[in-house]
Amino acid sequence: MLLDKKLIAIVGGGPGGLTLARLLQLKGANIKVYERDFNKDARVQGSPLDMHEGSGLAAIRKADLLNEFKKSYRPGADKMLIVNEHAEIFLNDHDSKQEEEFGSEYFRPEIDRGPLRNMFLESLQPETVVWDSHFISMEKQNEGWLLHFKNGSSAYADLVVGADGANSKIRPYITNIKAFYSGVTMLEGNVYDAANATPHIHSLIKDGKIMAFGNGQCILMGQKGNGDLGYYLSIKKDENWAAKNGLDYADNKGFLAWFKTEYSEWGSIWEELIEKSVTPFIPRPIYCMPLDQNWEALPNLTIIGDAAHVMPPFAGEGANMAMLDALELSECLTSEKFSTFQEAISFYEKNMREIAAIAAKESLENGERMHSEDALSTMLNMFGGH
Ligand SMILES: Cc1cc2nc3c(=O)[nH]c(=O)nc-3n(C[C@H](O)[C@H](O)[C@H](O)COP(=O)(O)OP(=O)(O)OC[C@H]3O[C@@H](n4cnc5c(N)ncnc54)[C@H](O)[C@@H]3O)c2cc1C
């Protein structure tokens, strides 16, 4: 096998990096994951992720973790309300949505980011993840790379896989192609213990998800298994707006004043979210890789997930694509079909760019729909409402 006696470094322990580590370890490869978080207890924020049959779930199955996934996913968390800016309900699938079965193409079970990460971490051999390893640079050494980390340590690897997300520091060693700004900025908020902190929203969301549309703006949110709630205010703004608007993201009061002006057409029910969020709020200008990006494969370096193809989150594909990349790359690296890393990487990358471009296009189109003046009716049509 190509990987025999080789040291593989995966930089980044998100959904992509950890899935790849697990899949390659199952094939007997020698893997280290270098992750910048200080330890495994770093709190993973953001709203839950839904796993798709042909991508995220396919990788979980191949990783022999479907039974573990079944212990950690959240039945019913995929149930959704679509509401207007006054929280009037236009679509409610809590009563009508059938429980789908694993294996059904339409079943998209939800899992919180923390439990998904833990599931993969627990499946890895001890000491696989090297915490507090913030990659800063690398140089060629022998056939591979010498990697350097912020804490002063260094490590050699024959093959490096960049799984370090949208602002990847590995990607520039492969290509200069940069992501473009999608026109949308999301502001992430998190509420701990939503039942007590935000009772009105809590009684509305019923352990599921809410998508609210009005006035070309949206609020998207998902309840988490631990009682917390993650949400995003999503609006069209200039690329540098988040950095230049003068908002203090650590100040709930100031942020609420801004919200009332920006979301002036919206009802007061949403305000408890802002008042009770843990701070700071996290501004996330949303980027997308060019759909026609291309580069020559290298013999000892590749990228997966957001590092390869960040895309807007409006089709819920990003984590799924990262895990699919892990699956496809692991298959290529362990296949007898290829006699060099470069051939395996080249095959993987070509395929990956094509699949990611389709998902990115859908994500961009959904983003346009969700931030248009008639977003509510468009989304109701899409989800089969009235
Ligand atoms: C607002 C928002 C909502 C989203 N909602 C969804 C959704 O519903 N469904 C979905 O499928 N996707 C969603 N996504 C996308 C999804 O979060 C990403 O596509 C997915 O997390 C990508 O996985 P990854 O492993 O490639 O990268 P990441 O999850 O970004 O993980 C990268 C890892 O690398 C580490 N790292 C970064 N830099 C370094 C470094 N220099 N050295 C060492 N380690 C480093 C990070 O700490 C992190 O652990 C959303 C994204 C956003 C912004």
Side-chain angles (χ1 to χ4, degrees), residues 107-118:
F107 186 38
R108 295 189 160 189
E110 300 264 343
I111 186 166
D112 292 351
R113 288 170 191 255
L116 181 70
R117 186 183 229 194
N118 288 340

Side-chain angles (χ1 to χ4, degrees), residues 12 15-16 35-36 49 113 117 133-135 164 232 305-306 313 316 318-319:
E35 165 57 48
R36 75 177 165 190
L49 299 168
R113 288 170 191 255
R117 186 183 229 194
S133 299
H134 190 151
F135 170 88
D164 52 339
Y232 303 96
D306 279 9

Side-chain angles (χ1 to χ4, degrees), residues 278-338:
V278 287
T279 55
F281 295 91
I282 309 164
R284 298 191 183 280
I286 299 296
Y287 286 83
C288 187
M289 283 308 161
L291 305 191
D292 59 351
Q293 61 174 348
N294 199 6
W295 59 79
E296 289 294 315
L298 296 177
N300 50 14
L301 180 62
T302 187
I303 38 181
I304 63 173
D306 279 9
H309 46 63
V310 65
M311 63 185 73
F314 305 116
E317 291 286 4
N320 284 284
M321 286 291 117
M323 293 165 75
L324 180 64
D325 290 350
L327 174 57
E328 304 266 333
L329 179 60
S330 68
E331 298 280 301
C332 288
L333 290 173
T334 54
S335 155
E336 300 295 329
K337 272 200 311 203
F338 306 108

Side-chain angles (χ1 to χ4, degrees), residues 8-237:
I8 320 298
I10 298 170
V11 177
L18 294 180
T19 306
L20 182 64
R22 165 70 176 172
L23 291 168
L24 290 178
Q25 265 184 0
L26 284 177
K27 303 272 187 174
N30 190 345
I31 306 289
K32 288 285 178 209
V33 177
Y34 296 98
E35 165 57 48
R36 75 177 165 190
D37 283 351
F38 284 104
N39 56 46
K40 69 173 177 40
D41 301 319
R43 190 164 185 138
V44 184
Q45 303 274 21
S47 47
L49 299 168
D50 56 340
M51 294 284 104
H52 303 177
E53 186 54 35
S55 46
L57 284 172
I60 288 169
R61 271 200 190 88
K62 195 76 189 183
D64 203 13
L65 289 172
L66 191 62
N67 284 336
E68 290 307 311
F69 180 82
K70 286 180 178 172
K71 291 180 200 160
S72 307
Y73 91 104
R74 297 191 30 237
D78 54 331
K79 296 195 173 170
M80 179 178 64
L81 296 180
I82 296 184
V83 304
N84 68 4
E85 63 271 38
H86 299 293
E88 290 162 352
I89 298 171
F90 286 78
L91 183 147
N92 176 353
D93 65 13
H94 282 263
D95 300 326
S96 56
K97 191 165 193 207
Q98 305 219 325
E99 278 305 327
E100 311 259 10
E101 291 290 323
F102 280 90
S104 151
E105 148 185 24
Y106 302 106
F107 186 38
R108 295 189 160 189
E110 300 264 343
I111 186 166
D112 292 351
R113 288 170 191 255
L116 181 70
R117 186 183 229 194
N118 288 340
M119 177 182 87
F120 278 106
L121 286 176
E122 282 160 20
S123 76
L124 297 175
Q125 292 161 16
E127 318 292 316
T128 302
V129 179
V130 190
W131 300 100
D132 186 21
S133 299
H134 190 151
F135 170 88
I136 42 174
S137 67
M138 62 185 177
E139 73 246 2
K140 290 189 178 146
Q141 190 177 80
N142 304 327
E143 301 294 295
W145 296 93
L146 186 65
L147 298 94
H148 302 289
F149 302 99
K150 210 175 188 172
N151 63 10
S153 65
S154 299
Y156 173 80
D158 298 294
L159 172 66
V160 175
V161 180
D164 52 339
N167 299 312
S168 171
K169 294 216 172 63
I170 300 281
R171 182 178 165 97
Y173 291 85
I174 297 178
T175 173
N176 291 327
I177 301 170
K178 297 217 167 24
F180 64 90
Y181 178 60
S182 71
V184 172
T185 290
M186 299 177 89
L187 298 146
E188 178 180 334
N190 287 280
V191 174
Y192 295 165
D193 185 15
N196 286 312
T198 53
H200 298 99
I201 296 289
H202 180 77
S203 63
L204 197 63
I205 199 167
K206 292 197 210 88
D207 281 335
K209 304 196 280 194
I210 297 178
M211 297 204 283
F213 302 102
N215 199 33
Q217 301 162 310
C218 25
I219 303 182
L220 310 170
M221 68 183 81
Q223 173 82 48
K224 301 188 213 180
N226 64 359
D228 296 353
L229 192 152
Y231 70 93
Y232 303 96
L233 310 180
S234 192
I235 42 183
K236 285 204 152 180
K237 288 285 177 193

